Amino acid sequence: MESNEIIGRIHSLESFGTLDGPGIRFIAFMQGCPMRCEFCHNPDTWDAHAKAQYEWTPEQLLQEVLKYRNFIRKGGVTVSGGEPLMQPRFVREFLRLCKEEGLHTAIDTSGAIYTDEALSVMDYCDLVLLDIKTADDILHKSYTGISRNNNRKWFDHLKEIGKPIWVRHVLVPGRTADDEHVKGVAQFLSGYKDIIERIDLLPYHTMGVYKYKELGISYPLEGVPPLAQEDLEKFTAMINLPDDRSM
């Protein structure tokens, strides 16, 4: 299939992102996600068939990116979601075009999709922002709607090919924000120190609750308070970077 025949369904764009990879970045949020994480603040990205803000070819998205080239030249481009690997052919071709332009590339993924097409995206990806929802296999199914198998496979694959990763983990009171859980995550990640460049513990918040109301969806964490700052600091101290420096 020619790249001009590949259409990506894009939920939204951010032209000056500072949290989704190194430097200032252009971020494309893709439409569609197979997970139903209890803490998700973007339920409007779930439905792969919902109306997307943009339906573009990889070339069209690249032309939008290049408008901001002077701002992102020391940063790059990140494809996020939703789950970007639900649209692997589009993402792979878009990242290929970005690499031709000399841009640093990254994807932000849950690791939920593990297929040959999804793995091929790594050919043009410099950095993977990889989520770990929980290190508890039993909790993972009820907490996210799917098993943890593919996420674990992604960690193993990225270690095998030596691809650098930034790990992201959301701490939710009553679910994942306790000493035992955080120690379990730290133990799991210890096997991947060679490729981990950064670990971000993210505090649960309620900023996306209004979207559930707008979509008529029951909010699964009703009444759960945001994570306290002192708890975030405590758990952060329990997670060490690969060179054993605390975050």
Side-chain angles (χ1 to χ4, degrees), residues 9-10 22 44 48 56 75 86 119 145 156 163 174 181 193 223-224:
R9 307 191 73 253
I10 303 164
D44 47 325
W56 282 349
M86 286 188 73
L119 294 175
D156 290 341
K163 187 72 66 175
H181 176 84
K193 285 187 175 183
V224 175

Side-chain angles (χ1 to χ4, degrees), residues 55-71:
E55 294 190 1
W56 282 349
T57 64
E59 289 84 356
Q60 286 175 309
L61 180 55
L62 177 68
Q63 290 308 307
E64 184 68 18
V65 169
L66 293 180
K67 295 177 183 178
Y68 304 92
R69 184 169 196 153
N70 288 341
F71 300 99

Side-chain angles (χ1 to χ4, degrees), residues 217-232:
I217 302 173
S218 176
Y219 186 62
L221 296 181
E222 188 70 41
V224 175
L227 187 74
Q229 180 61 31
E230 58 266 29
D231 288 332
L232 177 62

Side-chain angles (χ1 to χ4, degrees), residues 132-137 139-140 143-144 148 169 176 181 185:
I132 177 170
K133 309 299 184 180
T134 171
D136 183 330
D137 289 348
L139 175 62
H140 198 283
Y143 190 50
T144 70
R148 189 174 160 231
H169 179 56
T176 57
H181 176 84
V185 171

Side-chain angles (χ1 to χ4, degrees), residues 145-178:
I146 67 172
S147 80
R148 189 174 160 231
N149 290 342
N150 284 348
N151 179 264
R152 187 185 291 106
K153 288 179 182 179
W154 267 106
F155 273 97
D156 290 341
H157 178 70
L158 295 174
K159 180 179 180 179
E160 181 180 348
I161 65 175
K163 187 72 66 175
I165 63 176
W166 287 13
V167 177
R168 290 179 157 183
H169 179 56
V170 178
L171 293 171
V172 180
R175 298 293 196 279
T176 57
D178 62 65

Side-chain angles (χ1 to χ4, degrees), residues 155 165 167 189-190 192-199 241-242:
F155 273 97
I165 63 176
V167 177
L189 295 179
S190 67
Y192 303 93
K193 285 187 175 183
D194 291 347
I195 59 170
I196 295 175
E197 292 187 345
R198 173 170 167 169
I199 301 172
L241 289 174

Side-chain angles (χ1 to χ4, degrees), residues 10 29 49 54 77 99 101-102 104 124 165 169 189 211 223:
I10 303 164
F29 297 91
H49 304 291
Y54 308 97
V77 175
K99 293 304 297 177
E101 295 292 336
H104 181 275
Y124 302 105
I165 63 176
H169 179 56
L189 295 179
K211 295 182 181 181

